[in-house]
Each structure stands twice: as structure tokens, then as C-alpha cells.
Amino acid sequence: VGDNTNYQVLQTTSTYSADSIWHHVVVVFDRNNSANNSIYVDGSKQAVTLTAAAAPLGTLASTNVFCFGMQGC
């Protein structure tokens, strides 16, 4: 997740195989407290790691681009 200036990388430690079935993925992102960030797959909360963290991301009032799922935006 990034705001075109700073970024944080949150990933699940779970592994998944290509099973040709649609899955529902939800990411909960808290700009102010990365301990609250979560990933859910099909309604189940996944174990996650914060693998990279820059300075806290801007506020919702930021005019920077908000990116999800793409590095270096």
C-alpha cells in the first residue's frame, strides 16, 4: 500500500494454490497503526507480516495517489 511517497508491504504467510475457484480477499489497512492491518481470505483472518515500512502514510486528505497491489506507483 502506498501514497506515491511512502509505502508499506503487508503479506500473508499462508500459501495458496491455483484451484480455479474465485476467492474473496479483504485487506484492512490502518494508516496510523500498522498492528491493525489484516488480510482475510474467504472470511478467515490470515497470519500476516509487515515486510517493509516507510514513514507513516499521509492522511485521507492527502492529494497523493493511493495505490494497492502495485509497487512503485
Side-chain angles (χ1 to χ4, degrees):
V1 177
D3 66 2
N4 207 30
T5 302
N6 300 304
Y7 66 93
Q8 295 180 348
V9 177
L10 181 72
Q11 67 186 32
T12 180
T13 55
S14 302
T15 58
Y16 298 94
S17 60
D19 58 8
S20 300
I21 299 173
W22 283 91
H23 295 277
H24 186 245
V25 178
V26 174
V27 176
V28 177
F29 178 70
D30 184 338
R31 288 178 187 260
N32 300 313
N33 185 352
S34 61
N36 293 333
N37 296 344
S38 304
I39 297 175
Y40 293 83
V41 177
D42 294 332
S44 297
K45 188 173 182 177
Q46 305 298 301
V48 296
T49 58
L50 184 64
T51 59
L57 300 179
T59 68
L60 289 175
S62 173
T63 58
N64 291 336
V65 175
F66 182 81
C67 299
F68 174 78
M70 182 175 83
Q71 189 171 3
C73 59

